[in-house]
Amino acid sequence: MDFSDTPSDAAFRSRARAWLEAHAPKRGAGRTFKDDMDLLRAARGWQAAKADAGFAAITLPKKYGGGGGTAIEQVIYRQEEARFDTPFGVYEIGLGMCIPTLIEIGSDALKERYARPAICGKEIWCQLFSEPSAGSDLAALRTRAELVDGSWRVNGQKLWSTGAQFSDFGLLLARTDLNAPKHAGLTMFIIDMKAAGVEVRPIKQMTGEAEFNEVFFSDAIIPDDHRLTVPGGGWKGAMTTLMFERLNVGADIGLIDTLGLLDLLGTDAFADDLARDLLARWYLNDRGLKLLGYRAVTGLAKGQMPGPEQSITKLYLGRQAQEMADFVLDQRREYGALTGKDLGDWSAIERAWSFGAAMRIAGGTDEILRNIIAERVLGLPSEPRADKGVR
Ligand SMILES: Cc1cc2nc3c(=O)[nH]c(=O)nc-3n(C[C@H](O)[C@H](O)[C@H](O)COP(=O)(O)OP(=O)(O)OC[C@H]3O[C@@H](n4cnc5c(N)ncnc54)[C@H](O)[C@@H]3O)c2cc1C
């Protein structure tokens, strides 16, 4: 495991850091946005500035507006950007998963049309995989796409589609063959989110935000040249997308860290044995996860793909963020029940508490992550898969 950057990675880090220091708003500067549209305007501006500097999509090819860099440079950049208050969120899914999938498996014409506007921040993308009865068991999805007169007619419903209300295009997984076994009857498409027959309904969360949506398709039409996989090849396409999701290793995704907690509450909050015991456990977890992160980053530097052991990090981070936020809110006694956007650090704690539950579901629930760790990291016997190969 390497703990320090190679000379060329160190040079990249200082270039990224210098650019961020010159252009990015500092954390804690108290920047607020009037509404979602205000945030969206700021995000577009920030993405365009990054594209001009070559930091918009570091691993994607230069000919589409990407940085043409390595996966390790992407990790370094994300670590550096996490120290600033930048509005990147709406591009996370598009540039983290949809556009890399398009570049990996799409036709030249589709890459030419869609990659650059997404990288430069002009067009926003969402991922349309999960449905009311297909989340952990994604291959059970029921949204139908039928070939009619050379185009695909789509009917059905997606759920949890992050950012769909702002999106121009979506990466859609739909069932095209009812007679094939469930994993073999799927196909992946690009769908125009503004097309007739596509309706997006935001869902308000307990954080007060509406980040994800229900999306309904009623005879929405997709031209056949917007099909990304062969008919029936959608599962392979979906696995490509999820592989890119795993590349988000090394980013600073912890909501509160242990030392930040000490700063916030002061040492008096840890006067009793139980509180000290909790703090020690969280600190040790933090250290362990950091070391796992170094191992993943070292692997990336050697050209290896992140493996199933990444599930350990997500499993611990989600649970720990919730436990810590719970502890802090308890410490505030009756004031812990206060809500609002203008409470400085406290707003972040409150958000960590209310968003913690979502972190333990999105991108694989705790139980699914435990299955992955058991079967693919520890090599324990598999869960029975009664539906394997079944139509
Ligand atoms: C904040 C957030 C953002 C999201 N963004 C997107 C997005 O942009 N696009 C998208 O397509 N999806 C998105 N999702 C959906 C996400 O991928 C699913 O919610 C997730 O896969 C779980 O599926 P589910 O909600 O259908 O729960 P289910 O799969 O129905 O699970 C219900 C419960 O059963 C348990 N369970 C299920 N199967 C097993 C098993 N085999 N063994 C043990 N326990 C099991 C689960 O752990 C869970 O506790 C998002 C979700 C969240 C919370």
Side-chain angles (χ1 to χ4, degrees):
M1 196 189 311
D2 295 331
F3 293 94
S4 47
D5 296 333
T6 62
S8 73
D9 291 341
F12 177 84
R13 190 184 290 280
S14 46
R15 188 161 65 81
R17 192 173 288 176
W19 185 79
L20 283 161
E21 268 160 13
H23 295 92
K26 302 261 175 306
R27 266 199 192 284
R31 196 160 65 130
T32 53
F33 298 100
K34 244 190 1 262
D35 52 27
D36 285 346
M37 287 304 127
D38 195 25
L39 172 64
L40 204 58
R41 255 191 308 278
R44 282 188 198 281
W46 176 240
Q47 191 61 25
K50 274 165 63 168
D52 286 345
F55 293 125
I58 285 164
T59 53
L60 299 184
K62 281 194 169 151
K63 70 172 176 169
Y64 300 124
T70 61
I72 186 82
E73 286 174 352
Q74 167 141 315
V75 171
I76 291 172
Y77 180 81
R78 285 181 67 103
Q79 288 170 341
E80 293 299 321
E81 189 176 317
R83 301 190 303 120
F84 293 85
D85 185 14
T86 58
F88 174 64
V90 286
Y91 295 103
E92 193 113 24
I93 289 189
L95 295 183
M97 293 191 260
C98 305
I99 300 300
T101 303
L102 165 72
I103 289 179
E104 186 83 10
I105 64 176
S107 66
D108 286 345
L110 290 176
K111 290 187 230 183
E112 287 292 338
R113 160 64 189 86
Y114 290 110
R116 186 177 287 275
I119 292 172
C120 297
K122 290 201 180 93
E123 291 173 349
I124 298 175
W125 284 64
C126 61
Q127 179 202 15
L128 302 165
F129 285 13
S130 306
E131 298 185 4
S133 300
S136 306
D137 185 12
L138 180 59
L141 64 84
R142 290 189 294 194
T143 292
R144 278 282 280 138
E146 293 165 274
L147 194 56
V148 181
D149 299 332
S151 294
W152 295 86
R153 189 170 60 195
V154 184
N155 283 287
Q157 185 199 343
K158 295 289 169 180
L159 183 60
W160 307 109
S161 320
T162 303
Q165 72 271 49
F166 307 122
S167 291
D168 301 288
F169 299 98
L171 197 62
L172 173 75
L173 201 56
R175 184 161 303 283
T176 47
D177 186 349
L178 292 177
N179 296 316
K182 66 180 190 178
H183 291 83
L186 308 174
T187 304
M188 187 183 272
F189 301 91
I190 294 174
I191 188 161
D192 179 349
M193 295 299 288
K194 310 282 191 264
V198 180
E199 187 195 346
V200 178
R201 293 188 202 157
I203 300 175
K204 188 146 183 189
Q205 305 149 218
M206 70 178 181
T207 57
E209 300 149 321
E211 284 167 315
F212 42 63
N213 304 266
E214 294 177 294
V215 181
F216 295 87
F217 305 102
S218 315
D219 289 336
I221 299 296
I222 304 179
D224 188 45
D225 60 7
H226 278 52
R227 178 169 48 77
L228 273 176
T229 64
V230 292
W235 189 249
K236 211 167 156 209
M239 291 304 103
T240 307
T241 310
L242 300 180
M243 176 194 77
F244 285 116
E245 188 175 22
R246 272 211 218 133
L247 270 173
N248 283 335
V249 293
D252 181 6
I253 53 173
L255 294 175
I256 334 169
D257 71 32
T258 324
L259 299 179
L261 203 63
L262 262 176
D263 282 348
L264 189 67
L265 295 176
T267 45
D268 284 355
F270 298 95
D272 75 70
D273 290 348
L274 185 65
R276 273 208 302 279
D277 190 52
L278 277 174
L279 187 70
R281 187 156 58 78
W282 292 332
Y283 181 76
L284 289 174
N285 284 345
D286 273 356
R287 298 305 304 162
L289 294 180
K290 219 165 218 135
L291 291 173
L292 263 179
Y294 280 125
R295 185 191 282 176
V297 168
T298 305
L300 268 182
K302 293 180 181 158
Q304 296 158 6
M305 290 306 284
E309 68 283 356
Q310 287 304 310
S311 302
I312 300 171
T313 305
K314 182 173 175 281
L315 187 63
Y316 267 93
L317 273 180
R319 199 171 66 190
Q320 186 151 314
Q322 250 187 330
E323 276 180 15
M324 283 176 156
D326 218 22
F327 177 82
V328 178
L329 294 182
D330 273 354
Q331 291 288 316
R332 296 201 81 208
R333 301 175 201 275
E334 63 273 29
Y335 295 106
L338 278 181
T339 58
K341 281 189 172 168
D342 309 320
L343 298 171
D345 284 346
W346 297 111
S347 315
I349 299 290
E350 188 195 300
R351 188 173 189 282
W353 184 82
S354 50
F355 194 69
M359 268 185 84
R360 298 179 68 172
I361 301 172
T365 64
D366 281 9
E367 289 76 15
I368 295 299
L369 298 178
R370 284 202 184 90
N371 278 348
I372 293 173
I373 294 165
E375 294 173 17
R376 297 177 50 206
V377 180
L378 301 174
L380 297 176
S382 315
E383 289 274 297
R385 305 263 193 271
D387 59 346
K388 208 168 180 180
V390 172
R391 288 177 190 174

